[in-house]
Amino acid sequence: MNAPLLIAGHGTADEAGAEQFRQFVKRVDGALGVPVAGGFIELSNPPIASAVDALLATGARRVAAVPLMLVAAGHAKGDIPASLARERQRHQELSFVYGRPLGPHPTILALLRERLAEISPTPATMVLLVGRGSTDPDANAEVARAARLLAETTPVAGVEYAFISLAAPGVPAGLERCRLLGAERIAVLPYFLFTGVLPRRVAAQAAAWSAETGVPVDTAEVIGDCDGLVSLVVERYEEALRGEARANCDACLYRIALPGHEHRVGAPQTPHDHPHDHAHPHSHAHPHGH
């Protein structure tokens, strides 16, 4: 039997978003043919430790872990690898292979175009792709790359990008940029897998800006629990098992002294203390894992 799959998520204070993740794990489990478990690094149940315990109960001693993240920010680079290192301390017989985040893969771009089509854009519509935002410049650049790839492959007037937290431009500033570029109608496209506090905030800010300016704005749904997303997770799982998972470290702030971020080179990573996981009261520092 191939190694089972651990799907690692961030977690959310929004129970609907957490439930979408759990349902997606079940969808992958029904498609893959090996044991599959999902866990969160914080905020939601089940924690990663519980998911690992479930896979160990199947007799597994080698686990493939895939970070269910759209960009390679701190969670995929540090928090999840640190959590896996802690699980290896708890289970000395256990080993992991670690997959890549999802990234602006053609499957993700196709799913984004599907969500966009649901709100019926025209060739004159300007699109604003809104990501979570990060203190990692490399992660924010991935959102900009996804926006450009969409612009090159989608029959719309253009695709700009913005962030809902931690990075500029914010949603109102991104919408204003679209207006200044001549947009008479704007489609907001959340760059999120599942619903939650931040996607809801994106929709609220877009609606408020539209009401203030009079420019029509429609907000698409998040990517969501779907078969297309399953196919990409399976791809990331299989390449991890083959040892083909490779990260682009050319602009990683943990490896490269980017201006203004020099202090983060080689910084140790510690896992989040999950509120529902009482087996690990102390964190263990671990180098980032990509």
Side-chain angles (χ1 to χ4, degrees), residues 148-226:
R148 186 63 198 179
L149 287 168
L150 279 172
E152 297 277 2
T153 58
T154 310
V156 293
V159 182
E160 297 296 312
Y161 65 88
F163 305 97
I164 192 58
S165 65
L166 298 174
V171 173
L175 290 167
E176 184 64 16
R177 178 191 290 173
C178 293
R179 186 187 70 81
L180 292 173
L181 288 170
E184 296 181 358
R185 180 191 175 198
I186 303 171
V188 171
L189 189 55
Y191 197 41
F192 288 84
L193 294 174
F194 306 121
T195 191
V197 174
L198 296 183
R200 296 183 198 281
R201 189 180 300 166
V202 170
Q205 290 186 6
W209 184 88
S210 178
E212 181 179 340
T213 62
V215 177
V217 177
D218 298 300
T219 300
E221 294 294 327
V222 296
I223 291 171
D225 169 19
C226 60

Side-chain angles (χ1 to χ4, degrees), residues 61-268:
R61 293 299 177 264
R62 180 173 181 257
V63 172
V66 171
L68 200 66
M69 311 283 173
L70 284 168
V71 300
H75 299 313
K77 292 179 179 179
D79 296 332
I80 295 172
S83 294
L84 300 182
R86 186 165 62 181
E87 290 307 302
R88 288 200 64 189
Q89 292 179 344
R90 193 161 71 99
H91 302 286
Q92 298 292 323
E93 73 279 18
L94 185 62
S95 66
F96 290 97
V97 290
Y98 191 47
R100 285 193 288 166
L102 305 180
H105 187 282
T107 295
I108 293 296
L109 298 177
L111 291 171
L112 288 171
R113 285 191 290 270
E114 285 182 15
R115 299 299 167 265
L116 188 60
E118 291 168 0
I119 56 173
S120 302
T122 70
T125 300
M126 183 74 76
V127 176
L128 182 68
L129 183 71
V130 182
R132 181 185 187 277
S134 172
T135 59
D136 184 338
D138 194 29
N140 295 330
E142 286 193 31
V143 177
R145 181 168 181 255
R148 186 63 198 179
L149 287 168
L150 279 172
E152 297 277 2
T153 58
T154 310
V156 293
V159 182
E160 297 296 312
Y161 65 88
F163 305 97
I164 192 58
S165 65
L166 298 174
V171 173
L175 290 167
E176 184 64 16
R177 178 191 290 173
C178 293
R179 186 187 70 81
L180 292 173
L181 288 170
E184 296 181 358
R185 180 191 175 198
I186 303 171
V188 171
L189 189 55
Y191 197 41
F192 288 84
L193 294 174
F194 306 121
T195 191
V197 174
L198 296 183
R200 296 183 198 281
R201 189 180 300 166
V202 170
Q205 290 186 6
W209 184 88
S210 178
E212 181 179 340
T213 62
V215 177
V217 177
D218 298 300
T219 300
E221 294 294 327
V222 296
I223 291 171
D225 169 19
C226 60
D227 289 337
L229 191 57
V230 170
S231 70
L232 179 51
V233 169
V234 170
E235 181 177 326
R236 290 289 184 252
Y237 162 80
E238 291 175 344
E239 72 178 13
L241 287 184
R242 294 193 302 265
E244 295 176 358
R246 297 290 184 269
N248 179 0
C249 295
D250 290 343
C252 175
L253 82 173
Y254 295 114
R255 295 179 183 267
I256 306 300
L258 298 177
H261 299 270
E262 295 87 349
H263 64 287
R264 301 178 74 172
V265 174

